[in-house]
Each structure stands twice: as structure tokens, then as C-alpha cells.
Amino acid sequence: MNGNDTGREGRTSGAALAFRSVIRSFLDAPGTRMLVPVEVLFLGFLAVAALTQTWSDAAVPAMLIGAALVPSALELAINARCPTWLYGCYFGFLLAGPFVGTQLGLYAFWTQWDKPVHAFSGALVGWATVFALGIADRRMQLALPPFLMVAGVVSSGGFAAAMWEIAEFTSDRFLGTRSQNAGLEDTVTDMICGVLGVITVAVAVGHYHRGHPAALISSLLRSQDIIPSAPPRELP
């Protein structure tokens, strides 16, 4: 019995140490300091919606609370450090698009606000693709040719632009939102803006591989792996 209890205690202690290690790695992420004020802002709007029982206003902050955790969660999943500037761009996108545009109603005052947001989202997808390809290239020693990296960036951006419009259509259809008031023209121009954003990144990647300096692209391709915490010493 004592042996079984000791074994269970050891497993419990190991699980607790692993959990603490994950939390420590999450807190050490470069974007965590940016995450705190963003999450506080979203939680504040969610609390106001709950107190006033305006549940339709709670949907966007609730989704953004989870969306803001995505970069840090991905870092832990792929064991790589995301550049701090990319964190800032991602949080800026969450604020500029879903929050300011939808939650604060900027789209109602300036219907074209979504065009720069779509272009910026395309660039964001392009940067994230370069980041992922850089990790895969380094760890698997793929030695991807430049044209393949450029093609990967463009195709991922086009796919993301199409999925965005599908999400807007689904939201309008089933949740009663008004994301596509202008119909087909709005859909097509949004996709064009998204593709233009990702093409800008693809051009930068092409120039980088031709020997031209590009600090942003270099920081994505040369991301650092997360150094695992040292295992705790066993007690005698």
C-alpha cells in the first residue's frame, strides 16, 4: 500500500511540476506583457455586457479573449519564440478589426475601414507563414528553395482571405451580423485587399532571398527555440 501511495504521489508531483513548467514558459513569452492590458480590456467589455445583460455585445469580447491567447499557446506547442513585433501586430489586428470595427461600431461610420484591416490581415498571415516555414526548414533541414517559400506565403494568404469571407457569410447568415452589406463587391474587394497584403510579404521574402536585407523577414526565419526548464533535482 505504501508503495502504491508513493507511486501516486510521485505521478501527482510530476504532473504538478510539468504544469508549473508550462505556466512558467507561458509567462516568459515575450508577448505576455502585451497580453495583460489587451485581456483586461476585453474582460472589461465582457463584464459590462454581462451586467447590462446585453448578450449580443458579449460575443465579440468573449471570442477575442480566447483569440488573444493563441500566439502564446502556439509558442508552447511548437517550442519556438515568436518575435515580439509579431505579437504586437496580432494584438493590433484584434483591436483594429473585430474590436474597434465591430464592437465599437467604426464600420458603421466608415464602411471602408475593413479594407485596410483586410490588407493588414493578409500581411499578418504572410508573416505567420514565413515564421512556420522557417521553423520547418531549420528543424527538418528541408532547404526550401525561395520560390517555394514565396508560393507558400501567397497560397496561405489567399486561402485565409477566402476563409475570412466564408466566416463573414456564415456570421451574417446565422448570427444576424452585417459583415457583407455591400454584397458581392464587398466580398471581392475584401479578398483583393487581403491578397495584396500577403503579396507584399511575398515580395519582401523574395528580395530577402536575393541578398537584400529585411530585418522583419530575418527575425521570422531565425526564430529561437524555447529552452526547456531544467528538470527538478530529486530529493534524496
Side-chain angles (χ1 to χ4, degrees):
M1 292 293 293
N2 289 338
N4 291 337
D5 290 342
T6 302
R8 281 195 295 270
E9 289 176 0
R11 288 193 295 271
T12 302
S13 176
L17 288 173
F19 178 75
R20 285 199 293 269
S21 177
V22 170
I23 295 299
R24 190 181 305 114
S25 297
F26 182 86
L27 294 176
D28 288 342
T32 300
R33 288 184 294 273
M34 300 180 189
L35 177 67
V36 173
V38 171
E39 290 286 30
V40 169
L41 178 64
F42 295 154
L43 285 169
F45 274 82
L46 184 62
V48 170
L51 290 173
T52 58
Q53 295 188 350
T54 53
W55 302 114
S56 59
D57 293 336
V60 172
M63 289 187 293
L64 292 179
I65 288 171
L69 298 173
V70 169
S72 297
L74 283 177
E75 276 193 340
L76 295 177
I78 64 178
N79 196 39
R81 282 298 183 212
C82 176
T84 304
W85 67 266
L86 191 57
Y87 263 105
C89 289
Y90 178 73
F91 293 145
F93 166 71
L94 293 183
L95 291 171
F99 189 73
V100 174
T102 303
Q103 185 69 24
L104 300 185
L106 182 58
Y107 288 144
F109 294 98
W110 183 28
T111 57
Q112 299 303 310
W113 171 246
D114 65 334
K115 301 303 183 274
V117 170
H118 277 279
F120 185 69
S121 72
L124 191 59
V125 170
W127 291 325
T129 303
V130 175
F131 179 61
L133 289 175
I135 293 172
D137 190 46
R138 186 181 72 252
R139 294 182 182 175
M140 302 176 67
Q141 298 181 352
L142 299 176
L144 294 173
F147 80 88
L148 211 62
M149 293 198 72
V150 171
V153 170
V154 173
S155 59
S156 63
F159 176 77
M163 292 304 297
W164 181 311
E165 294 307 313
I166 291 174
E168 285 190 349
F169 172 80
T170 304
S171 176
D172 289 355
R173 182 86 173 185
F174 297 103
L175 300 180
T177 57
R178 299 177 180 178
S179 303
Q180 295 181 323
N181 277 338
L184 181 61
E185 181 179 353
D186 177 73
T187 299
V188 174
T189 52
D190 286 351
M191 292 181 67
I192 291 173
C193 289
V195 170
L196 287 176
V198 80
I199 286 177
T200 302
V201 177
V203 170
V205 172
H207 276 279
Y208 173 82
H209 282 288
R210 286 179 175 270
H212 300 282
L216 296 185
I217 303 301
S218 177
S219 67
L220 294 171
L221 292 175
R222 299 179 181 178
S223 60
Q224 298 179 348
D225 290 333
I226 296 176
I227 300 175
S229 304
R233 292 184 300 174
E234 295 184 0
L235 296 176

